[in-house]
Amino acid sequence: MKTVSNCVEDILITQPYLEEALSRNIINYSALAVELTEPISKMLKKDVKPGAIMMALRRYNPPPTLGNSIKMKRVIQNLGDITVRSNLTDFTVKNSDTLIDNHAKILARINQENKLFYTFTRGIHESNIIISSSLKGFVHDNLKNETFLAVQDGLSAISINLPQDNSKIAGLYYHFFKRLAWEGIVLYEVLSTTNEFTILVEDEYVDKAFTAIKRVKS
């Protein structure tokens, strides 16, 4: 049988920022209990008093993967270098039978300039190329017969080297996204490989985003 505590847990799990605020004791329990009275009453199909909800809130313990687990602390402390690359352009192109062949020409040029920033992601319906803006014209020329869905200039990439066991840690990316969201930073793209995590932001956010990620690391 579902209880008030079960309902409180269900709500907080779907609202991690609210859960974080509770763990930091920066939310008024009484006001939140009043706010949750109606939804929890509907979930239990009976009237519930705010006092019972407030008691459940005070007793709530967040899952360890989102709290201060020893393993999570170790991984965050072992985060590697943070690298920033600016002057990037993001191309989103509709997938086609000719895209791979045309993309091969871009790769051949990139092989001649190994200091360029470049990523390529192929989705089900579209592909994404992020490249140094110095090659913007070259990419346009070689993909002129493709369908461009979006082109965005003025972007910067912030890359974080992750510890080798990061793929076994639940909630690691949550710590980055949580901090960036708290700071009001809009993410343009998110990229990752096994041991590297990259966010793409518009230039106006890059300093703020870099500071936010350093705070996660520290």
Side-chain angles (χ1 to χ4, degrees):
M1 181 178 178
K2 204 159 193 175
T3 65
V4 172
S5 295
N6 296 145
C7 295
V8 165
E9 182 175 354
D10 289 346
I11 291 172
L12 294 180
I13 285 175
T14 62
Q15 300 185 49
Y17 303 132
L18 179 58
E19 182 183 61
E20 171 71 10
L22 276 175
S23 69
R24 294 171 61 188
N25 295 316
I26 58 176
I27 278 189
N28 184 308
Y29 283 87
S30 179
L32 179 58
V34 172
E35 182 79 14
L36 297 180
T37 298
E38 184 177 348
I40 290 180
S41 293
K42 288 182 178 178
M43 292 169 75
L44 294 177
K45 297 180 180 179
K46 66 178 182 180
D47 291 336
V48 178
K49 294 183 178 180
I53 298 174
M54 186 165 65
M55 187 177 297
L57 288 169
R58 291 188 180 281
R59 291 177 175 174
Y60 176 74
N61 290 315
T65 54
L66 300 183
N68 296 320
S69 69
I70 295 175
K71 185 179 288 187
M72 180 65 75
K73 279 187 175 181
R74 190 187 76 242
V75 170
I76 290 176
Q77 288 171 354
N78 289 330
L79 291 174
D81 294 337
I82 303 173
T83 305
V84 178
R85 294 293 300 268
S86 57
N87 297 320
L88 305 179
T89 299
D90 185 303
F91 297 89
T92 304
V93 185
K94 186 177 180 180
N95 287 343
S96 70
D97 294 337
T98 57
L99 178 59
I100 296 300
D101 288 337
N102 288 327
H103 180 235
K105 301 173 186 176
I106 298 172
L107 284 176
R109 173 65 183 275
I110 291 170
N111 283 336
Q112 300 172 17
E113 302 182 47
N114 55 17
K115 291 185 179 181
L116 290 171
F117 183 94
Y118 160 81
T119 69
F120 175 78
T121 305
R122 183 178 177 88
I124 297 174
H125 303 294
E126 61 187 31
S127 293
N128 183 259
I129 298 173
I130 303 170
I131 198 166
S132 297
S133 296
S134 59
L135 284 187
K136 178 181 177 181
F138 181 80
V139 172
H140 263 298
D141 290 343
N142 282 276
L143 300 182
K144 62 185 177 182
N145 295 323
E146 305 296 337
T147 302
F148 286 93
L149 302 178
V151 179
Q152 178 66 45
D153 294 316
L155 299 173
S156 293
I158 303 176
S159 300
I160 307 102
N161 288 333
L162 304 174
Q164 298 218 352
D165 59 349
N166 74 87
S167 60
K168 299 178 182 179
I169 307 298
L172 176 59
Y173 285 4
Y174 164 81
H175 284 270
F176 294 112
F177 293 136
K178 175 188 67 177
R179 172 60 69 174
L180 293 166
W182 272 104
E183 298 287 347
I185 297 165
V186 179
L187 301 181
Y188 190 83
E189 295 279 3
V190 177
L191 311 163
S192 70
T193 57
T194 302
N195 298 309
E196 191 173 297
F197 172 64
T198 299
I199 62 168
L200 200 69
V201 297
E202 294 183 46
D203 287 342
E204 64 181 289
Y205 293 110
V206 65
D207 291 337
K208 198 173 182 181
F210 179 78
T211 301
I213 290 174
K214 281 196 70 176
R215 285 175 180 164
V216 173
K217 184 178 178 180
S218 60

Short mmCIF file of all heavy atoms in Angstrom, two decimals, residues 9-65:
data_model
loop_
_atom_site.label_atom_id
_atom_site.label_comp_id
_atom_site.label_asym_id
_atom_site.label_seq_id
_atom_site.Cartn_x
_atom_site.Cartn_y
_atom_site.Cartn_z
N GLU A 9 8.81 10.56 -2.15
CA GLU A 9 9.99 10.05 -2.86
C GLU A 9 9.78 10.07 -4.37
O GLU A 9 10.68 10.47 -5.12
CB GLU A 9 10.30 8.63 -2.39
CG GLU A 9 11.55 8.04 -3.03
CD GLU A 9 11.91 6.68 -2.48
OE1 GLU A 9 11.25 6.25 -1.51
OE2 GLU A 9 12.85 6.06 -3.00
N ASP A 10 8.59 9.65 -4.83
CA ASP A 10 8.31 9.65 -6.27
C ASP A 10 8.42 11.05 -6.86
O ASP A 10 8.94 11.24 -7.97
CB ASP A 10 6.90 9.09 -6.53
CG ASP A 10 6.81 7.60 -6.28
OD1 ASP A 10 7.87 6.95 -6.17
OD2 ASP A 10 5.68 7.08 -6.17
N ILE A 11 7.92 12.04 -6.13
CA ILE A 11 7.95 13.42 -6.62
C ILE A 11 9.37 13.96 -6.64
O ILE A 11 9.81 14.58 -7.62
CB ILE A 11 7.04 14.32 -5.74
CG1 ILE A 11 5.57 13.95 -5.97
CG2 ILE A 11 7.27 15.80 -6.06
CD1 ILE A 11 4.60 14.63 -5.03
N LEU A 12 10.13 13.72 -5.58
CA LEU A 12 11.49 14.26 -5.50
C LEU A 12 12.44 13.62 -6.50
O LEU A 12 13.34 14.28 -7.02
CB LEU A 12 12.03 14.10 -4.08
CG LEU A 12 11.32 14.91 -2.99
CD1 LEU A 12 11.95 14.66 -1.64
CD2 LEU A 12 11.33 16.39 -3.32
N ILE A 13 12.24 12.34 -6.78
CA ILE A 13 13.10 11.66 -7.75
C ILE A 13 12.95 12.28 -9.14
O ILE A 13 13.91 12.36 -9.92
CB ILE A 13 12.77 10.15 -7.80
CG1 ILE A 13 13.35 9.47 -6.55
CG2 ILE A 13 13.34 9.49 -9.06
CD1 ILE A 13 12.99 8.01 -6.43
N THR A 14 11.75 12.76 -9.46
CA THR A 14 11.51 13.37 -10.78
C THR A 14 11.88 14.85 -10.80
O THR A 14 11.82 15.47 -11.86
CB THR A 14 10.03 13.22 -11.20
OG1 THR A 14 9.20 13.90 -10.25
CG2 THR A 14 9.63 11.76 -11.27
N GLN A 15 12.25 15.40 -9.65
CA GLN A 15 12.63 16.82 -9.56
C GLN A 15 13.95 16.94 -8.80
O GLN A 15 13.98 17.34 -7.64
CB GLN A 15 11.53 17.63 -8.87
CG GLN A 15 10.19 17.58 -9.59
CD GLN A 15 9.16 18.48 -8.96
OE1 GLN A 15 9.42 19.65 -8.70
NE2 GLN A 15 7.98 17.95 -8.71
N PRO A 16 15.07 16.57 -9.45
CA PRO A 16 16.36 16.53 -8.76
C PRO A 16 16.80 17.87 -8.18
O PRO A 16 17.51 17.90 -7.17
CB PRO A 16 17.33 16.03 -9.83
CG PRO A 16 16.64 16.29 -11.13
CD PRO A 16 15.18 16.15 -10.86
N TYR A 17 16.41 18.98 -8.80
CA TYR A 17 16.82 20.28 -8.26
C TYR A 17 16.11 20.56 -6.94
O TYR A 17 16.69 21.15 -6.03
CB TYR A 17 16.53 21.40 -9.26
CG TYR A 17 17.20 21.17 -10.59
CD1 TYR A 17 16.50 21.31 -11.78
CD2 TYR A 17 18.55 20.78 -10.66
CE1 TYR A 17 17.11 21.08 -13.00
CE2 TYR A 17 19.16 20.55 -11.87
CZ TYR A 17 18.45 20.70 -13.03
OH TYR A 17 19.05 20.47 -14.24
N LEU A 18 14.87 20.13 -6.84
CA LEU A 18 14.14 20.27 -5.58
C LEU A 18 14.77 19.38 -4.52
O LEU A 18 14.94 19.79 -3.36
CB LEU A 18 12.67 19.88 -5.80
CG LEU A 18 11.74 19.93 -4.59
CD1 LEU A 18 11.72 21.33 -3.98
CD2 LEU A 18 10.32 19.51 -4.99
N GLU A 19 15.15 18.19 -4.91
CA GLU A 19 15.82 17.26 -3.99
C GLU A 19 17.14 17.84 -3.49
O GLU A 19 17.47 17.77 -2.30
CB GLU A 19 16.07 15.93 -4.69
CG GLU A 19 16.72 14.88 -3.81
CD GLU A 19 16.99 13.62 -4.58
OE1 GLU A 19 17.75 13.67 -5.57
OE2 GLU A 19 16.44 12.57 -4.20
N GLU A 20 17.88 18.46 -4.41
CA GLU A 20 19.15 19.07 -4.04
C GLU A 20 18.94 20.21 -3.04
O GLU A 20 19.67 20.36 -2.06
CB GLU A 20 19.85 19.60 -5.30
CG GLU A 20 21.08 20.46 -5.04
CD GLU A 20 22.26 19.67 -4.53
OE1 GLU A 20 22.19 18.42 -4.56
OE2 GLU A 20 23.25 20.29 -4.10
N ALA A 21 17.91 21.03 -3.29
CA ALA A 21 17.62 22.15 -2.39
C ALA A 21 17.24 21.65 -1.00
O ALA A 21 17.63 22.24 0.02
CB ALA A 21 16.50 23.00 -2.97
N LEU A 22 16.52 20.54 -0.94
CA LEU A 22 16.16 19.96 0.36
C LEU A 22 17.41 19.48 1.10
O LEU A 22 17.55 19.70 2.31
CB LEU A 22 15.21 18.77 0.16
CG LEU A 22 13.72 19.09 0.03
CD1 LEU A 22 12.95 17.81 -0.29
CD2 LEU A 22 13.18 19.72 1.30
N SER A 23 18.31 18.83 0.39
CA SER A 23 19.51 18.30 1.03
C SER A 23 20.41 19.42 1.56
O SER A 23 21.19 19.22 2.48
CB SER A 23 20.30 17.42 0.06
OG SER A 23 20.87 18.19 -0.98
N ARG A 24 20.27 20.62 0.98
CA ARG A 24 21.08 21.77 1.41
C ARG A 24 20.33 22.64 2.43
O ARG A 24 20.83 23.69 2.82
CB ARG A 24 21.46 22.61 0.19
CG ARG A 24 22.39 21.89 -0.78
CD ARG A 24 22.56 22.66 -2.08
NE ARG A 24 23.15 23.97 -1.86
CZ ARG A 24 23.26 24.89 -2.81
NH1 ARG A 24 22.83 24.62 -4.04
NH2 ARG A 24 23.81 26.06 -2.54
N ASN A 25 19.13 22.19 2.81
CA ASN A 25 18.33 22.91 3.81
C ASN A 25 18.04 24.35 3.42
O ASN A 25 18.11 25.28 4.24
CB ASN A 25 19.02 22.88 5.19
CG ASN A 25 19.10 21.48 5.76
OD1 ASN A 25 18.14 20.73 5.71
ND2 ASN A 25 20.26 21.13 6.30
N ILE A 26 17.72 24.57 2.13
CA ILE A 26 17.41 25.93 1.69
C ILE A 26 15.96 26.03 1.22
O ILE A 26 15.61 26.96 0.50
CB ILE A 26 18.37 26.38 0.56
CG1 ILE A 26 18.31 25.41 -0.64
CG2 ILE A 26 19.79 26.51 1.07
CD1 ILE A 26 19.16 25.88 -1.82
N ILE A 27 15.11 25.08 1.65
CA ILE A 27 13.69 25.11 1.30
C ILE A 27 12.87 25.12 2.59
O ILE A 27 13.21 24.44 3.56
CB ILE A 27 13.32 23.91 0.42
CG1 ILE A 27 13.68 24.20 -1.04
CG2 ILE A 27 11.84 23.59 0.51
CD1 ILE A 27 13.17 23.20 -2.03
N ASN A 28 11.81 25.88 2.57
CA ASN A 28 10.88 25.93 3.71
C ASN A 28 10.01 24.67 3.66
O ASN A 28 9.18 24.51 2.76
CB ASN A 28 10.02 27.20 3.60
CG ASN A 28 9.09 27.37 4.78
OD1 ASN A 28 8.35 26.46 5.14
ND2 ASN A 28 9.13 28.56 5.37
N TYR A 29 10.20 23.76 4.62
CA TYR A 29 9.48 22.49 4.63
C TYR A 29 7.97 22.71 4.70
O TYR A 29 7.20 22.01 4.04
CB TYR A 29 9.93 21.63 5.81
CG TYR A 29 11.26 20.96 5.61
CD1 TYR A 29 12.45 21.61 5.93
CD2 TYR A 29 11.33 19.68 5.11
CE1 TYR A 29 13.68 20.99 5.76
CE2 TYR A 29 12.56 19.04 4.93
CZ TYR A 29 13.73 19.71 5.25
OH TYR A 29 14.94 19.09 5.06
N SER A 30 7.54 23.64 5.52
CA SER A 30 6.11 23.88 5.69
C SER A 30 5.46 24.35 4.40
O SER A 30 4.40 23.85 4.00
CB SER A 30 5.90 24.92 6.80
OG SER A 30 4.53 25.19 6.98
N ALA A 31 6.11 25.29 3.71
CA ALA A 31 5.56 25.81 2.46
C ALA A 31 5.54 24.73 1.38
O ALA A 31 4.57 24.63 0.61
CB ALA A 31 6.38 27.01 1.99
N LEU A 32 6.60 23.92 1.32
CA LEU A 32 6.65 22.85 0.32
C LEU A 32 5.58 21.80 0.61
O LEU A 32 4.95 21.28 -0.32
CB LEU A 32 8.03 22.20 0.31
CG LEU A 32 8.22 21.05 -0.68
CD1 LEU A 32 7.94 21.49 -2.11
CD2 LEU A 32 9.64 20.47 -0.57
N ALA A 33 5.35 21.50 1.89
CA ALA A 33 4.33 20.51 2.25
C ALA A 33 2.95 20.97 1.79
O ALA A 33 2.15 20.17 1.27
CB ALA A 33 4.33 20.29 3.76
N VAL A 34 2.67 22.26 1.95
CA VAL A 34 1.39 22.81 1.48
C VAL A 34 1.29 22.69 -0.04
O VAL A 34 0.25 22.33 -0.59
CB VAL A 34 1.24 24.28 1.92
CG1 VAL A 34 0.01 24.91 1.27
CG2 VAL A 34 1.13 24.37 3.44
N GLU A 35 2.41 22.98 -0.72
CA GLU A 35 2.44 22.90 -2.18
C GLU A 35 2.17 21.47 -2.68
O GLU A 35 1.55 21.27 -3.74
CB GLU A 35 3.82 23.37 -2.68
CG GLU A 35 3.99 23.39 -4.18
CD GLU A 35 3.35 24.60 -4.84
OE1 GLU A 35 3.00 25.56 -4.14
OE2 GLU A 35 3.19 24.55 -6.07
N LEU A 36 2.64 20.47 -1.92
CA LEU A 36 2.50 19.08 -2.34
C LEU A 36 1.22 18.41 -1.86
O LEU A 36 0.95 17.26 -2.22
CB LEU A 36 3.70 18.26 -1.83
CG LEU A 36 5.09 18.66 -2.36
CD1 LEU A 36 6.16 17.77 -1.76
CD2 LEU A 36 5.13 18.58 -3.88
N THR A 37 0.44 19.12 -1.07
CA THR A 37 -0.77 18.51 -0.49
C THR A 37 -1.74 18.02 -1.57
O THR A 37 -2.21 16.87 -1.52
CB THR A 37 -1.50 19.52 0.43
OG1 THR A 37 -0.64 19.86 1.52
CG2 THR A 37 -2.77 18.90 0.99
N GLU A 38 -2.01 18.85 -2.55
CA GLU A 38 -2.97 18.46 -3.59
C GLU A 38 -2.48 17.29 -4.44
O GLU A 38 -3.21 16.30 -4.62
CB GLU A 38 -3.31 19.66 -4.48
CG GLU A 38 -4.38 19.34 -5.52
CD GLU A 38 -4.76 20.55 -6.36
OE1 GLU A 38 -4.37 21.67 -5.99
OE2 GLU A 38 -5.45 20.37 -7.39
N PRO A 39 -1.24 17.36 -5.00
CA PRO A 39 -0.80 16.22 -5.82
C PRO A 39 -0.70 14.91 -5.05
O PRO A 39 -1.04 13.85 -5.57
CB PRO A 39 0.57 16.66 -6.35
CG PRO A 39 0.99 17.79 -5.48
CD PRO A 39 -0.25 18.46 -5.02
N ILE A 40 -0.26 14.96 -3.79
CA ILE A 40 -0.15 13.72 -3.02
C ILE A 40 -1.54 13.19 -2.65
O ILE A 40 -1.77 11.97 -2.64
CB ILE A 40 0.72 13.95 -1.77
CG1 ILE A 40 2.18 14.14 -2.22
CG2 ILE A 40 0.62 12.76 -0.81
CD1 ILE A 40 3.16 14.38 -1.08
N SER A 41 -2.48 14.08 -2.38
CA SER A 41 -3.85 13.64 -2.10
C SER A 41 -4.44 12.93 -3.31
O SER A 41 -5.15 11.92 -3.19
CB SER A 41 -4.71 14.85 -1.71
OG SER A 41 -4.30 15.41 -0.48
N LYS A 42 -4.13 13.43 -4.50
CA LYS A 42 -4.61 12.79 -5.72
C LYS A 42 -3.94 11.44 -5.93
O LYS A 42 -4.57 10.48 -6.38
CB LYS A 42 -4.35 13.69 -6.93
CG LYS A 42 -5.26 14.93 -6.98
CD LYS A 42 -4.97 15.76 -8.22
CE LYS A 42 -5.91 16.97 -8.30
NZ LYS A 42 -5.61 17.82 -9.48
N MET A 43 -2.66 11.36 -5.60
CA MET A 43 -1.94 10.09 -5.77
C MET A 43 -2.49 9.02 -4.83
O MET A 43 -2.58 7.84 -5.20
CB MET A 43 -0.44 10.31 -5.49
CG MET A 43 0.26 11.17 -6.53
SD MET A 43 1.94 11.68 -6.03
CE MET A 43 2.84 10.15 -6.26
N LEU A 44 -2.87 9.42 -3.62
CA LEU A 44 -3.39 8.46 -2.63
C LEU A 44 -4.90 8.34 -2.66
O LEU A 44 -5.47 7.47 -1.99
CB LEU A 44 -2.93 8.88 -1.23
CG LEU A 44 -1.43 8.81 -0.96
CD1 LEU A 44 -1.11 9.33 0.44
CD2 LEU A 44 -0.91 7.39 -1.12
N LYS A 45 -5.53 9.23 -3.43
CA LYS A 45 -7.00 9.25 -3.57
C LYS A 45 -7.70 9.44 -2.21
O LYS A 45 -8.71 8.81 -1.91
CB LYS A 45 -7.50 7.97 -4.25
CG LYS A 45 -6.97 7.81 -5.67
CD LYS A 45 -7.48 6.55 -6.33
CE LYS A 45 -6.93 6.43 -7.75
NZ LYS A 45 -7.38 5.19 -8.43
N LYS A 46 -7.10 10.29 -1.43
CA LYS A 46 -7.70 10.65 -0.13
C LYS A 46 -7.03 11.93 0.35
O LYS A 46 -5.95 12.31 -0.11
CB LYS A 46 -7.52 9.54 0.90
CG LYS A 46 -6.08 9.30 1.31
CD LYS A 46 -5.99 8.21 2.38
CE LYS A 46 -4.55 8.01 2.85
NZ LYS A 46 -4.44 6.96 3.88
N ASP A 47 -7.71 12.63 1.27
CA ASP A 47 -7.16 13.87 1.79
C ASP A 47 -5.94 13.60 2.67
O ASP A 47 -5.95 12.70 3.51
CB ASP A 47 -8.22 14.63 2.61
CG ASP A 47 -9.34 15.18 1.72
OD1 ASP A 47 -9.07 15.38 0.51
OD2 ASP A 47 -10.45 15.38 2.23
N VAL A 48 -4.90 14.37 2.45
CA VAL A 48 -3.67 14.25 3.23
C VAL A 48 -3.37 15.61 3.85
O VAL A 48 -3.46 16.64 3.19
CB VAL A 48 -2.49 13.81 2.35
CG1 VAL A 48 -1.20 13.74 3.17
CG2 VAL A 48 -2.78 12.46 1.72
N LYS A 49 -2.97 15.63 5.11
CA LYS A 49 -2.67 16.88 5.79
C LYS A 49 -1.22 17.29 5.55
O LYS A 49 -0.33 16.44 5.47
CB LYS A 49 -2.94 16.75 7.29
CG LYS A 49 -4.42 16.54 7.63
CD LYS A 49 -4.63 16.48 9.14
CE LYS A 49 -6.12 16.33 9.46
NZ LYS A 49 -6.36 16.27 10.93
N PRO A 50 -0.98 18.61 5.44
CA PRO A 50 0.39 19.09 5.22
C PRO A 50 1.38 18.61 6.28
O PRO A 50 2.56 18.38 5.97
CB PRO A 50 0.24 20.62 5.26
CG PRO A 50 -1.18 20.87 4.86
CD PRO A 50 -1.96 19.71 5.41
N GLY A 51 0.91 18.43 7.53
CA GLY A 51 1.81 17.98 8.59
C GLY A 51 2.41 16.62 8.30
O GLY A 51 3.60 16.38 8.59
N ALA A 52 1.63 15.71 7.72
CA ALA A 52 2.13 14.38 7.39
C ALA A 52 3.17 14.46 6.27
O ALA A 52 4.16 13.72 6.26
CB ALA A 52 0.98 13.48 6.97
N ILE A 53 2.93 15.35 5.32
CA ILE A 53 3.87 15.52 4.21
C ILE A 53 5.17 16.14 4.72
O ILE A 53 6.27 15.72 4.33
CB ILE A 53 3.25 16.40 3.11
CG1 ILE A 53 1.99 15.72 2.54
CG2 ILE A 53 4.26 16.66 2.00
CD1 ILE A 53 1.24 16.56 1.55
N MET A 54 5.05 17.13 5.61
CA MET A 54 6.25 17.77 6.15
C MET A 54 7.11 16.76 6.91
O MET A 54 8.34 16.77 6.82
CB MET A 54 5.87 18.93 7.07
CG MET A 54 7.06 19.74 7.54
SD MET A 54 6.62 21.34 8.24
CE MET A 54 5.70 20.80 9.68
N MET A 55 6.48 15.85 7.63
CA MET A 55 7.22 14.83 8.37
C MET A 55 7.96 13.91 7.39
O MET A 55 9.12 13.54 7.62
CB MET A 55 6.26 14.02 9.24
CG MET A 55 6.95 13.03 10.16
SD MET A 55 5.79 12.16 11.24
CE MET A 55 5.14 13.54 12.20
N ALA A 56 7.28 13.56 6.28
CA ALA A 56 7.91 12.70 5.27
C ALA A 56 9.09 13.41 4.61
O ALA A 56 10.12 12.79 4.31
CB ALA A 56 6.88 12.29 4.23
N LEU A 57 8.95 14.72 4.38
CA LEU A 57 10.05 15.49 3.79
C LEU A 57 11.27 15.51 4.69
O LEU A 57 12.41 15.38 4.24
CB LEU A 57 9.58 16.93 3.51
CG LEU A 57 8.61 17.12 2.34
CD1 LEU A 57 8.02 18.54 2.36
CD2 LEU A 57 9.29 16.85 1.01
N ARG A 58 11.04 15.68 5.98
CA ARG A 58 12.15 15.75 6.93
C ARG A 58 12.86 14.40 7.07
O ARG A 58 14.05 14.34 7.38
CB ARG A 58 11.65 16.23 8.30
CG ARG A 58 11.21 17.69 8.30
CD ARG A 58 10.92 18.18 9.71
NE ARG A 58 10.50 19.57 9.72
CZ ARG A 58 11.33 20.61 9.62
NH1 ARG A 58 12.63 20.41 9.51
NH2 ARG A 58 10.87 21.85 9.63
N ARG A 59 12.12 13.32 6.85
CA ARG A 59 12.70 11.98 6.98
C ARG A 59 13.34 11.47 5.68
O ARG A 59 14.00 10.43 5.67
CB ARG A 59 11.62 10.98 7.42
CG ARG A 59 11.13 11.21 8.84
CD ARG A 59 10.01 10.24 9.17
NE ARG A 59 9.60 10.36 10.57
CZ ARG A 59 8.56 9.71 11.08
NH1 ARG A 59 7.84 8.89 10.33
NH2 ARG A 59 8.25 9.87 12.36
N TYR A 60 13.11 12.21 4.60
CA TYR A 60 13.57 11.74 3.29
C TYR A 60 15.10 11.76 3.20
O TYR A 60 15.75 12.73 3.57
CB TYR A 60 12.99 12.61 2.17
CG TYR A 60 13.50 12.25 0.81
CD1 TYR A 60 13.05 11.10 0.15
CD2 TYR A 60 14.44 13.04 0.16
CE1 TYR A 60 13.51 10.76 -1.10
CE2 TYR A 60 14.92 12.72 -1.10
CZ TYR A 60 14.44 11.57 -1.72
OH TYR A 60 14.92 11.23 -2.96
N ASN A 61 15.66 10.67 2.69
CA ASN A 61 17.10 10.57 2.43
C ASN A 61 17.31 10.34 0.95
O ASN A 61 16.75 9.39 0.38
CB ASN A 61 17.73 9.41 3.21
CG ASN A 61 17.77 9.67 4.70
OD1 ASN A 61 18.15 10.76 5.13
ND2 ASN A 61 17.38 8.69 5.50
N PRO A 62 18.11 11.19 0.27
CA PRO A 62 18.33 11.01 -1.17
C PRO A 62 19.12 9.74 -1.45
O PRO A 62 19.87 9.27 -0.60
CB PRO A 62 19.15 12.26 -1.56
CG PRO A 62 19.82 12.66 -0.30
CD PRO A 62 18.86 12.32 0.81
N PRO A 63 18.95 9.16 -2.66
CA PRO A 63 19.74 7.98 -3.03
C PRO A 63 21.23 8.29 -2.94
O PRO A 63 21.65 9.40 -3.25
CB PRO A 63 19.32 7.72 -4.49
CG PRO A 63 18.00 8.40 -4.63
CD PRO A 63 18.03 9.58 -3.72
N PRO A 64 22.05 7.33 -2.55
CA PRO A 64 23.48 7.60 -2.38
C PRO A 64 24.20 8.03 -3.64
O PRO A 64 25.16 8.77 -3.59
CB PRO A 64 24.03 6.27 -1.86
CG PRO A 64 23.01 5.24 -2.23
CD PRO A 64 21.69 5.96 -2.18
N THR A 65 23.71 7.61 -4.83
CA THR A 65 24.38 8.00 -6.07
C THR A 65 24.21 9.47 -6.34
O THR A 65 24.96 10.05 -7.12
CB THR A 65 23.83 7.20 -7.27
OG1 THR A 65 22.41 7.35 -7.32
CG2 THR A 65 24.20 5.75 -7.14
#
